[in-house]
Amino acid sequence: MRMRSLGRSGLFVSELCLGTMTFGGSEGFWGQIGRLGQDEADALVKTAFDAGINFIDTANVYAGGMSERILGQSLKNLGIPRDDVVIATKVLGPMGEGPNARGASRGHILSQCKASLARLGLDHIDLYQIHGFDPATPITETMEALDTLVRHGHVRYLGLSNWAAWQVMKAVGIAEARRLAPIVSLQAYYTLVGRDLEREIAPMLTSEDIGLMVWSPLAGGYLSGKYDAEGTQADGRRTTFDFPPVDRTRGAGTLEAMRAVAGAKGCSVAQVALAWLLHRETVTSVIIGAKRVEQLQDNLGATAVRLEADDLARLDAATRLPPEYPGWMLERQGAYRA
């Protein structure tokens, strides 16, 4: 398990991050995602920690706060030293009925940080992330509230999730101009069947030295190897929760290429999907979630998969993005600098 610095910071995190979205669900949406209780969560956290993972991601909205509670209890149950683990959580989604119990306003951020700390049973959060963009709140207000948390010692580092490139750059500019705590990471969707961030977001992250945390690296199970060419399976999660969206036409060719590489490497299709991400220079850490220890162990095996140039070329040929303006024009006009 390799360690990587998170963006332009002195914080080192494991190349794989344990996601806890499956912790604590009961009925409805969160029940579809996962219904793991304390004992099952403890087993996953122990497996991940024993494998060298020091990075764990959660959010206040996961199972209405139960994911944070269960994670905090797991750390206690397993006796994991606080300084040996990096805990990341997020804020944005509704945590109450009122209009101010959601979003990225100063009030919601400050109150929810305290609530997350209480559920986790910690005195600080290592990485606090805004879970999405709030069009109703000025970015300046959001950044100043986050800076307050850092200055008070409740939070160590700041991140964003699911923001467009221009939104991230605006936050970066505000932080620099006002000398606020900087943004060190972005959590975003990125897979072999979802390479959209390569157009604008990835170049921006490289330019600003911001770390990338990848969520849903198996595209909601689509790249797990369980699905056929059309992306269907009788008991797959996508039968009840078809997310993230996948272009099934392009996806069929992707699965074919992945199975060929997996066969040549003697590994699972899921490991190919994860290994491809670990070979991308933009990626800092890949978030892996699981419902079973066996599933987590298979994902952990991706760190040992080495993709050669021909493997990467085969996968790229099956999944590369079609040309789009202004990308093709930038490439053409930039040729004089070659």
Side-chain angles (χ1 to χ4, degrees), residues 9 41 46 51 71 77 88 92 106 170 230 286 300:
S9 79
K46 184 179 188 306
L71 172 58
N77 292 348
L92 182 81
R106 180 187 305 277
K170 192 168 183 178
E230 285 70 43
V286 178
L300 290 167

Side-chain angles (χ1 to χ4, degrees), residues 97-133:
E97 297 300 325
N100 293 313
R102 63 199 66 206
S105 67
R106 180 187 305 277
H108 190 59
I109 289 173
L110 297 183
S111 64
Q112 284 304 307
C113 180
K114 292 181 180 179
S116 288
L117 286 169
R119 285 189 290 265
L120 288 164
L122 303 176
D123 64 356
H124 73 273
I125 294 165
D126 296 293
L127 178 66
Y128 201 46
Q129 306 156 97
I130 303 299
H131 210 163
F133 186 72

Side-chain angles (χ1 to χ4, degrees), residues 20-305:
T20 64
M21 203 173 179
T22 57
F23 292 9
S26 55
E27 301 300 322
F29 172 79
W30 295 110
Q32 295 177 24
I33 298 298
R35 297 169 176 262
L36 301 189
Q38 192 65 59
D39 291 344
E40 296 163 305
D42 288 357
L44 290 177
V45 173
K46 184 179 188 306
T47 299
F49 190 74
D50 288 348
I53 287 180
N54 77 335
F55 199 14
I56 305 179
D57 179 73
T58 185
N60 63 344
V61 294
Y62 292 171
M66 280 304 299
S67 174
E68 289 182 325
R69 291 186 189 280
I70 291 174
L71 172 58
Q73 190 60 48
S74 285
L75 299 178
K76 293 186 177 71
N77 292 348
L78 299 172
I80 296 177
R82 179 64 184 92
D83 291 342
D84 289 353
V85 66
V86 176
I87 301 299
T89 191
K90 301 182 283 291
V91 60
L92 182 81
M95 292 298 288
E97 297 300 325
N100 293 313
R102 63 199 66 206
S105 67
R106 180 187 305 277
H108 190 59
I109 289 173
L110 297 183
S111 64
Q112 284 304 307
C113 180
K114 292 181 180 179
S116 288
L117 286 169
R119 285 189 290 265
L120 288 164
L122 303 176
D123 64 356
H124 73 273
I125 294 165
D126 296 293
L127 178 66
Y128 201 46
Q129 306 156 97
I130 303 299
H131 210 163
F133 186 72
D134 180 2
T137 301
I139 296 178
T140 299
E141 178 178 338
T142 298
M143 294 304 298
E144 289 181 343
L146 292 173
D147 182 72
T148 297
L149 292 174
V150 173
R151 292 181 186 277
H152 288 182
H154 301 312
V155 168
R156 298 285 171 84
Y157 296 94
L158 304 176
L160 304 171
S161 179
N162 302 316
W163 283 39
W166 72 265
Q167 294 166 341
V168 176
M169 279 307 306
K170 192 168 183 178
V172 168
I174 289 171
E176 291 181 351
R178 294 175 178 259
R179 298 184 178 180
L180 305 175
I183 298 299
V184 302
S185 66
L186 175 72
Q187 189 173 146
Y189 172 63
Y190 187 28
T191 69
L192 276 164
V193 285
R195 298 176 61 175
D196 306 79
L197 62 69
E198 292 177 4
R199 298 194 189 281
E200 298 282 347
I201 295 175
M204 177 274 299
L205 295 176
T206 299
S207 170
E208 301 306 311
D209 198 7
I210 294 174
L212 174 61
M213 298 167 60
V214 176
W215 61 262
S216 197
L218 299 182
Y222 183 85
L223 301 179
S224 65
K226 299 183 297 184
Y227 293 85
D228 59 24
E230 285 70 43
T232 58
Q233 185 209 25
D235 59 349
R237 192 190 81 180
R238 282 184 169 270
T239 59
T240 56
F241 184 52
D242 194 16
F243 183 84
V246 170
D247 183 334
R248 302 300 172 89
T249 302
R250 297 187 67 205
T254 301
L255 291 171
E256 181 181 356
M258 291 175 67
R259 289 192 175 101
V261 172
K265 291 294 179 183
C267 65
S268 70
V269 172
Q271 287 173 345
V272 171
L274 297 172
W276 180 81
L277 286 168
L278 294 175
H279 281 71
R280 310 300 288 179
E281 290 186 5
T282 314
V283 174
T284 303
S285 188
V286 178
I287 302 171
I288 54 174
K291 295 182 180 180
R292 296 174 289 102
V293 168
E294 296 76 18
Q295 179 187 4
L296 178 58
Q297 289 173 331
D298 181 77
N299 289 347
L300 290 167
T303 60
V305 176

Side-chain angles (χ1 to χ4, degrees), residues 296-319:
L296 178 58
Q297 289 173 331
D298 181 77
N299 289 347
L300 290 167
T303 60
V305 176
R306 295 291 176 266
L307 299 178
E308 306 301 331
D310 57 339
D311 300 319
L312 294 171
R314 182 169 196 163
L315 294 171
D316 183 65
T319 65

